[in-house]
Amino acid sequence: MLSRLWFSQFPEWARPEHPIMRSILGGIPESQRRRRLLLAGLVIVGLFAVAVYAYVTTDALVVRDLLYYPLVFAQVVAVIVGLTLTSNAVATEEQRGTWDTLKLTLVGVPLTLRARWIAVFHQLRWLLGAIIIGRIVYLGLLLSDITEFQGRALDLYISGISPEVSLDVAILIMVAFMTAFVMQPVVAVAVSAAIGVILSVTVRSRAMVFILMLLVIGIYLALVFVGVTFANEQILERTQSLTQQDFSDTQGWGSLMLMALAGDMGIKLTELETQGQIWADFEYGIYFGAIYLAVVVIAGSIANALVVISAKRAAKPTRT
């Protein structure tokens, strides 16, 4: 039932029963499938254990801390695996002896490369599902924060900020933040898989693809590390400090977006007190949720465009 609901969200050519998708998913070794299911299972078990603990305790801070690093680790793994699954897409088709045949058709190459991109979501659906469940736990904690002070917590936090906004606007912005927060891991995997398609199309040497893939992974891990540590110092410690720290709005916004987009993907920003302090400290900080959603949507659109452009480039006749 859930599987049919999941697959119904994809276009016809991207569903497992389509011949191209069936050939891609059917070519995955059983041992590789078992490893992915085991990884997803470990994440799900961990999240379930945290959920049980959350049920028996009322300490939200403990729940946030317990879930934080496993969820960040799962997100990093999903992004890296998404890159590796598509970086040898063309080389795999060449090895199977189907690439030249695909290039003889009008839609064979574009459809195959797009199918390999979409196949990443099928292959990682359990891991992505576990990540989304974990993020929903954080949204539940955020909603709990909003209901404090007899449901007036949000009204109190927007009092005296610049620019002033109505409670209705603040609620819409929070909804935008929550929407982006749930979407972001899926979009991050889409972007990484699109980068893998680009590498596969533009670089024909497997050794060079491997080197560039390691470079991309290294850059991504560095961004995650900087986003979690540097932004934590610049944003979270500042919001929790009684003394005003002096740094520019550009530096502050840069740290904020780095933490939200590349660090922990906004997990620590699900605490209403942290967001409220950001609204008070940063000019136009109240609009962060709307900006966050816009960036996530744009990133997803760019990933799709990159795959389409790369597929069209790969479909062009090879010069001899």
Side-chain angles (χ1 to χ4, degrees), residues 8-318:
S8 67
Q9 308 304 310
F10 293 87
E12 193 71 32
W13 57 268
R15 297 177 186 177
E17 60 269 18
H18 191 276
I20 292 180
M21 187 63 70
R22 189 166 61 244
S23 68
I24 292 172
L25 297 177
I28 301 171
E30 189 62 29
S31 59
Q32 193 173 352
R33 290 183 181 180
R34 285 198 296 267
R35 285 197 299 269
R36 290 173 191 164
L37 284 175
L38 177 62
L39 178 61
L42 291 174
V43 174
I44 292 172
V45 169
L47 292 174
F48 179 76
V50 173
V52 171
Y53 186 83
Y55 179 77
V56 299
T57 184
T58 57
D59 192 344
L61 182 60
V62 172
V63 176
R64 291 179 188 273
D65 291 341
L66 277 176
L67 195 56
Y68 181 76
Y69 285 105
L71 195 53
V72 171
F73 175 75
Q75 293 168 175
V76 170
V77 169
V79 171
I80 292 176
V81 172
L83 172 67
T84 60
L85 288 176
T86 57
S87 59
N88 284 314
V90 174
T92 300
E93 294 295 337
E94 289 177 337
Q95 188 176 20
R96 294 169 65 182
T98 58
W99 186 247
D100 291 335
T101 303
L102 290 172
K103 294 196 75 169
L104 294 175
T105 64
L106 293 175
V107 296
V109 169
L111 197 57
T112 298
L113 288 179
R114 295 202 71 190
R116 285 197 171 275
W117 181 57
I118 292 295
V120 172
F121 300 102
H122 293 313
Q123 294 165 273
L124 295 179
R125 63 185 182 276
W126 294 108
L127 181 57
L128 287 173
I131 291 170
I132 290 173
I133 290 172
R135 293 172 84 82
I136 289 174
V137 172
Y138 275 95
L139 290 185
L141 296 173
L142 176 59
L143 290 173
S144 177
D145 292 343
I146 293 174
T147 59
E148 291 180 348
F149 305 107
Q150 292 78 45
R152 298 184 61 249
L154 193 58
D155 204 357
L156 293 173
Y157 278 115
I158 64 174
S159 177
I161 65 173
S162 176
E164 295 183 359
V165 298
S166 66
L167 180 60
D168 291 341
V169 172
I171 292 173
L172 289 175
I173 291 173
M174 290 303 295
V175 170
F177 170 80
M178 293 178 185
T179 303
F181 185 71
V182 173
M183 290 172 54
Q184 190 178 6
V186 179
V187 171
V189 170
V191 172
S192 68
I195 293 173
V197 172
I198 294 172
L199 291 178
S200 178
V201 169
T202 57
V203 183
R204 306 315 295 267
S205 169
R206 281 201 167 192
M208 184 58 66
V209 168
F210 181 74
I211 292 172
L212 292 176
M213 188 174 63
L214 290 180
L215 178 62
V216 172
I217 291 173
I219 293 172
Y220 171 66
L221 292 176
L223 288 174
V224 171
F225 177 78
V226 172
V228 171
T229 57
F230 178 74
N232 182 70
E233 295 174 0
Q234 295 291 331
I235 301 298
L236 299 182
E237 291 184 8
R238 181 176 189 254
T239 58
Q240 296 167 2
S241 176
L242 296 177
T243 59
Q244 189 77 4
Q245 300 181 32
D246 184 25
F247 61 90
S248 67
D249 285 342
T250 301
Q251 184 180 359
W253 271 102
S255 300
L256 180 61
M257 297 309 295
L258 183 63
M259 178 170 59
L261 299 176
D264 63 11
M265 296 191 190
I267 295 176
K268 288 187 177 179
L269 297 176
T270 56
E271 192 170 4
L272 185 60
E273 182 181 0
T274 299
Q275 283 218 40
Q277 195 63 48
I278 288 170
W279 301 343
D281 287 349
F282 296 127
E283 190 76 19
Y284 299 101
I286 183 62
Y287 296 115
F288 166 72
I291 296 171
Y292 185 34
L293 177 59
V295 172
V296 169
V297 171
I298 291 171
S301 301
I302 290 175
N304 180 69
L306 289 175
V307 173
V308 172
I309 293 171
S310 298
K312 288 181 178 178
R313 182 179 185 275
K316 293 179 179 180
T318 304

